[in-house]
PDB file of all heavy atoms in Angstrom:
ATOM      1  N   ILE A   7      72.247  78.588  90.772  1.00  0.00           N
ATOM      2  CA  ILE A   7      71.839  79.638  89.824  1.00  0.00           C
ATOM      3  C   ILE A   7      72.996  80.621  89.651  1.00  0.00           C
ATOM      4  O   ILE A   7      73.555  81.120  90.631  1.00  0.00           O
ATOM      5  CB  ILE A   7      70.586  80.408  90.330  1.00  0.00           C
ATOM      6  CG1 ILE A   7      69.453  79.426  90.608  1.00  0.00           C
ATOM      7  CG2 ILE A   7      70.152  81.462  89.305  1.00  0.00           C
ATOM      8  CD1 ILE A   7      68.284  80.031  91.372  1.00  0.00           C
ATOM      9  N   ARG A   9      74.027  84.226  87.948  1.00  0.00           N
ATOM     10  CA  ARG A   9      73.472  85.456  87.373  1.00  0.00           C
ATOM     11  C   ARG A   9      74.625  86.378  87.031  1.00  0.00           C
ATOM     12  O   ARG A   9      75.543  86.529  87.836  1.00  0.00           O
ATOM     13  CB  ARG A   9      72.585  86.179  88.391  1.00  0.00           C
ATOM     14  CG  ARG A   9      71.332  85.432  88.804  1.00  0.00           C
ATOM     15  CD  ARG A   9      70.595  86.248  89.867  1.00  0.00           C
ATOM     16  NE  ARG A   9      69.322  85.651  90.242  1.00  0.00           N
ATOM     17  CZ  ARG A   9      69.175  84.726  91.188  1.00  0.00           C
ATOM     18  NH1 ARG A   9      70.214  84.287  91.861  1.00  0.00           N
ATOM     19  NH2 ARG A   9      67.980  84.251  91.465  1.00  0.00           N
ATOM     20  N   LEU A  11      75.542  90.132  86.802  1.00  0.00           N
ATOM     21  CA  LEU A  11      75.026  91.440  87.199  1.00  0.00           C
ATOM     22  C   LEU A  11      75.916  92.552  86.675  1.00  0.00           C
ATOM     23  O   LEU A  11      77.113  92.346  86.424  1.00  0.00           O
ATOM     24  CB  LEU A  11      74.969  91.552  88.735  1.00  0.00           C
ATOM     25  CG  LEU A  11      73.699  91.007  89.412  1.00  0.00           C
ATOM     26  CD1 LEU A  11      73.663  89.491  89.335  1.00  0.00           C
ATOM     27  CD2 LEU A  11      73.610  91.482  90.859  1.00  0.00           C
ATOM     28  N   THR A  21      93.176 102.152  89.014  1.00  0.00           N
ATOM     29  CA  THR A  21      94.389 101.524  89.548  1.00  0.00           C
ATOM     30  C   THR A  21      95.487 101.673  88.496  1.00  0.00           C
ATOM     31  O   THR A  21      95.232 102.185  87.407  1.00  0.00           O
ATOM     32  CB  THR A  21      94.175 100.017  89.789  1.00  0.00           C
ATOM     33  OG1 THR A  21      94.085  99.376  88.507  1.00  0.00           O
ATOM     34  CG2 THR A  21      92.889  99.735  90.555  1.00  0.00           C
ATOM     35  N   ALA A  50      86.097  87.978  89.836  1.00  0.00           N
ATOM     36  CA  ALA A  50      86.777  88.175  88.545  1.00  0.00           C
ATOM     37  C   ALA A  50      86.197  89.404  87.849  1.00  0.00           C
ATOM     38  O   ALA A  50      84.997  89.660  87.915  1.00  0.00           O
ATOM     39  CB  ALA A  50      86.595  86.939  87.666  1.00  0.00           C
ATOM     40  N   LEU A  68      82.686  77.322  85.974  1.00  0.00           N
ATOM     41  CA  LEU A  68      81.574  76.949  86.853  1.00  0.00           C
ATOM     42  C   LEU A  68      80.651  75.969  86.127  1.00  0.00           C
ATOM     43  O   LEU A  68      80.310  74.907  86.655  1.00  0.00           O
ATOM     44  CB  LEU A  68      80.803  78.207  87.290  1.00  0.00           C
ATOM     45  CG  LEU A  68      81.519  79.031  88.372  1.00  0.00           C
ATOM     46  CD1 LEU A  68      81.020  80.481  88.405  1.00  0.00           C
ATOM     47  CD2 LEU A  68      81.324  78.390  89.753  1.00  0.00           C
ATOM     48  N   PRO A  74      78.938  70.873  88.155  1.00  0.00           N
ATOM     49  CA  PRO A  74      78.681  69.425  88.125  1.00  0.00           C
ATOM     50  C   PRO A  74      79.262  68.698  89.340  1.00  0.00           C
ATOM     51  O   PRO A  74      78.604  67.820  89.907  1.00  0.00           O
ATOM     52  CB  PRO A  74      79.363  68.971  86.823  1.00  0.00           C
ATOM     53  CG  PRO A  74      79.340  70.190  85.949  1.00  0.00           C
ATOM     54  CD  PRO A  74      79.495  71.359  86.872  1.00  0.00           C
ATOM     55  N   PHE A  91      87.792  70.262  94.303  1.00  0.00           N
ATOM     56  CA  PHE A  91      88.246  71.094  93.182  1.00  0.00           C
ATOM     57  C   PHE A  91      89.752  70.985  92.931  1.00  0.00           C
ATOM     58  O   PHE A  91      90.261  71.564  91.979  1.00  0.00           O
ATOM     59  CB  PHE A  91      87.930  72.575  93.456  1.00  0.00           C
ATOM     60  CG  PHE A  91      86.461  72.929  93.468  1.00  0.00           C
ATOM     61  CD1 PHE A  91      86.043  74.165  93.944  1.00  0.00           C
ATOM     62  CD2 PHE A  91      85.504  72.039  92.982  1.00  0.00           C
ATOM     63  CE1 PHE A  91      84.700  74.516  93.956  1.00  0.00           C
ATOM     64  CE2 PHE A  91      84.149  72.384  92.990  1.00  0.00           C
ATOM     65  CZ  PHE A  91      83.750  73.624  93.481  1.00  0.00           C
ATOM     66  N   TYR A  93      91.856  68.953  91.772  1.00  0.00           N
ATOM     67  CA  TYR A  93      92.449  68.445  90.525  1.00  0.00           C
ATOM     68  C   TYR A  93      92.400  69.474  89.397  1.00  0.00           C
ATOM     69  O   TYR A  93      93.082  69.336  88.396  1.00  0.00           O
ATOM     70  CB  TYR A  93      91.768  67.128  90.101  1.00  0.00           C
ATOM     71  CG  TYR A  93      90.527  67.320  89.262  1.00  0.00           C
ATOM     72  CD1 TYR A  93      90.618  67.338  87.856  1.00  0.00           C
ATOM     73  CD2 TYR A  93      89.271  67.501  89.844  1.00  0.00           C
ATOM     74  CE1 TYR A  93      89.485  67.531  87.081  1.00  0.00           C
ATOM     75  CE2 TYR A  93      88.154  67.686  89.077  1.00  0.00           C
ATOM     76  CZ  TYR A  93      88.259  67.699  87.690  1.00  0.00           C
ATOM     77  OH  TYR A  93      87.151  67.909  86.937  1.00  0.00           O
ATOM     78  N   ILE A 135      90.177 102.305 103.878  1.00  0.00           N
ATOM     79  CA  ILE A 135      89.559 102.572 102.578  1.00  0.00           C
ATOM     80  C   ILE A 135      90.664 102.669 101.532  1.00  0.00           C
ATOM     81  O   ILE A 135      91.768 103.119 101.831  1.00  0.00           O
ATOM     82  CB  ILE A 135      88.706 103.862 102.650  1.00  0.00           C
ATOM     83  CG1 ILE A 135      87.823 104.014 101.410  1.00  0.00           C
ATOM     84  CG2 ILE A 135      89.570 105.097 102.867  1.00  0.00           C
ATOM     85  CD1 ILE A 135      86.728 105.063 101.579  1.00  0.00           C
ATOM     86  N   LYS A 141      92.575 112.519  89.409  1.00  0.00           N
ATOM     87  CA  LYS A 141      93.053 113.427  88.355  1.00  0.00           C
ATOM     88  C   LYS A 141      94.111 114.392  88.900  1.00  0.00           C
ATOM     89  O   LYS A 141      95.106 114.676  88.249  1.00  0.00           O
ATOM     90  CB  LYS A 141      91.884 114.237  87.788  1.00  0.00           C
ATOM     91  CG  LYS A 141      90.933 113.391  86.958  1.00  0.00           C
ATOM     92  CD  LYS A 141      90.265 114.224  85.851  1.00  0.00           C
ATOM     93  CE  LYS A 141      89.422 113.341  84.957  1.00  0.00           C
ATOM     94  NZ  LYS A 141      88.198 112.842  85.666  1.00  0.00           N
ATOM     95  N   THR A 234     110.267 100.033 104.764  1.00  0.00           N
ATOM     96  CA  THR A 234     108.812  99.867 104.701  1.00  0.00           C
ATOM     97  C   THR A 234     108.465  98.402 104.458  1.00  0.00           C
ATOM     98  O   THR A 234     109.020  97.794 103.543  1.00  0.00           O
ATOM     99  CB  THR A 234     108.254 100.724 103.534  1.00  0.00           C
ATOM    100  OG1 THR A 234     108.760 102.050 103.670  1.00  0.00           O
ATOM    101  CG2 THR A 234     106.744 100.728 103.524  1.00  0.00           C
ATOM    102  N   SER A 241     100.596  88.193  94.212  1.00  0.00           N
ATOM    103  CA  SER A 241     101.521  87.049  94.144  1.00  0.00           C
ATOM    104  C   SER A 241     101.112  85.842  94.973  1.00  0.00           C
ATOM    105  O   SER A 241     101.712  84.784  94.844  1.00  0.00           O
ATOM    106  CB  SER A 241     102.926  87.466  94.612  1.00  0.00           C
ATOM    107  OG  SER A 241     103.490  88.376  93.707  1.00  0.00           O
ATOM    108  N   GLY A 296      77.482  93.795  98.062  1.00  0.00           N
ATOM    109  CA  GLY A 296      77.265  93.454  99.460  1.00  0.00           C
ATOM    110  C   GLY A 296      77.497  91.990  99.779  1.00  0.00           C
ATOM    111  O   GLY A 296      77.930  91.656 100.890  1.00  0.00           O
ATOM    112  N   ARG A 299      81.162  91.482 100.110  1.00  0.00           N
ATOM    113  CA  ARG A 299      81.530  92.280 101.283  1.00  0.00           C
ATOM    114  C   ARG A 299      81.213  91.494 102.577  1.00  0.00           C
ATOM    115  O   ARG A 299      82.002  91.461 103.513  1.00  0.00           O
ATOM    116  CB  ARG A 299      80.696  93.574 101.225  1.00  0.00           C
ATOM    117  CG  ARG A 299      81.351  94.850 101.642  1.00  0.00           C
ATOM    118  CD  ARG A 299      80.652  96.056 100.990  1.00  0.00           C
ATOM    119  NE  ARG A 299      81.192  96.170  99.644  1.00  0.00           N
ATOM    120  CZ  ARG A 299      82.401  96.639  99.365  1.00  0.00           C
ATOM    121  NH1 ARG A 299      83.156  97.130 100.320  1.00  0.00           N
ATOM    122  NH2 ARG A 299      82.862  96.645  98.138  1.00  0.00           N
ATOM    123  N   VAL A 333      76.133  97.449 104.206  1.00  0.00           N
ATOM    124  CA  VAL A 333      77.286  97.489 105.110  1.00  0.00           C
ATOM    125  C   VAL A 333      77.555  98.948 105.476  1.00  0.00           C
ATOM    126  O   VAL A 333      77.712  99.796 104.595  1.00  0.00           O
ATOM    127  CB  VAL A 333      78.537  96.869 104.455  1.00  0.00           C
ATOM    128  CG1 VAL A 333      79.766  97.059 105.354  1.00  0.00           C
ATOM    129  CG2 VAL A 333      78.306  95.388 104.152  1.00  0.00           C
TER     130      VAL A 333
END
Side-chain angles (χ1 to χ4, degrees):
I7 304 168
R9 295 177 175 87
L11 274 71
T21 71
L68 284 159
F91 292 168
Y93 87 92
I135 192 166
K141 289 210 175 70
T234 309
S241 293
R299 218 156 278 285
V333 174

